[in-house]
Amino acid sequence: MQTSRLGRTPKHARSTSGALTLLSAIRMKIRVDSVEYKCWHEVGHATVCLHLGGDVDFIEFLDGDARGHARARCVVTSEIERSVACGGFAAEFYLLDKGYAEQGRDDERNISQIVFHNATDDREDFWGRKLGRDEAFPKAEDEEFMRHAIGSVVPIFDQYFLRMQELVRELFDARRVEGRRVKELLRLGIPR
């Protein structure tokens, strides 16, 4: 098998993820409104889950969802569920903090609002309750969620960042990655 400097194989270099490899070598700035950024959010959940001893059934984009939402189906225990719930937020924070992600030049939204909005369901999972239509989490609860994500979850990504990149590329291309493949790419857990 012949390899390419920017892709794993010549076929990969011509693929969408191969193009992502080339682009990341040039810029590695992910726009917060991109599909790739959504991939990172879900890969964050899966990485934390597997690192802490849980299991992942799959990661996928929801068919027919106009907003382009995705999900990671994680199997968690009560001891790890709060950390896994923080995984997507923590991944977004990690990308922004390390300078790998940015807003578009014409995007005037507050970046904190974007990241917290993306983690609405995750905060509900973290706190174990659903918000009403016009309800918001109190500032103290958001701060505790953020402290847990940054202090306990973000450090996990330093160990797996390059592997997470591969999983993001595969999810971006395939739109669904089965748990066995997630574990292979992250080199975590026992494939079933």
Side-chain angles (χ1 to χ4, degrees), residues 14-191:
R14 289 187 302 273
S15 72
T16 305
S17 63
L20 285 175
T21 303
L22 174 60
L23 286 175
S24 63
I26 295 169
R27 61 151 175 98
M28 193 47 190
K29 290 283 188 177
I30 303 159
R31 297 235 346 210
V32 299
D33 57 353
S34 69
V35 171
E36 183 180 5
Y37 191 74
K38 291 176 183 180
C39 291
W40 277 100
H41 182 103
E42 300 308 326
V43 167
H45 289 297
T47 302
V48 172
C49 182
L50 291 170
H51 174 80
L52 295 176
D55 199 6
V56 175
D57 289 335
F58 58 82
I59 308 172
E60 70 178 356
F61 280 88
L62 302 177
D63 287 334
D65 186 291
R67 301 164 297 177
H69 284 204
R71 66 181 173 174
R73 170 86 39 92
C74 297
V75 180
V76 299
T77 62
S78 59
E79 295 83 24
I80 70 171
E81 66 184 335
R82 290 181 72 169
S83 294
V84 173
C86 291
F89 176 93
E92 292 186 38
F93 177 88
Y94 185 91
L95 293 172
L96 290 162
D97 187 57
K98 299 287 186 184
Y100 295 135
E102 66 185 1
Q103 289 177 265
R105 289 193 177 112
D106 58 341
D107 189 345
E108 296 179 8
R109 299 174 294 167
N110 177 303
I111 193 65
S112 294
Q113 289 176 339
I114 293 170
V115 176
F116 273 99
H117 174 75
N118 291 347
T120 299
D121 291 344
D122 302 335
R123 289 181 291 153
E124 290 176 341
D125 291 343
F126 183 85
W127 291 110
R129 71 177 193 276
K130 296 288 183 195
L131 292 176
R133 172 169 265 173
D134 296 322
E135 190 180 3
F137 284 104
K139 182 179 179 182
E141 288 183 351
D142 278 344
E143 288 173 351
E144 185 174 338
F145 174 84
M146 183 176 66
R147 272 193 304 276
H148 184 77
I150 294 169
S152 298
V153 178
V154 166
I156 293 169
F157 300 139
D158 286 327
Q159 299 174 55
Y160 303 105
F161 185 73
L162 294 176
R163 297 177 205 164
M164 291 170 73
Q165 281 182 307
E166 286 296 311
L167 180 52
V168 164
R169 288 181 191 117
E170 189 153 322
L171 179 59
F172 186 92
D173 280 347
R175 315 255 324 146
R176 180 179 170 105
V177 180
E178 296 300 327
R180 182 166 192 240
R181 181 68 177 147
V182 170
K183 290 176 249 189
E184 282 177 22
L185 289 169
L186 292 176
R187 293 183 209 110
L188 282 166
I190 300 168

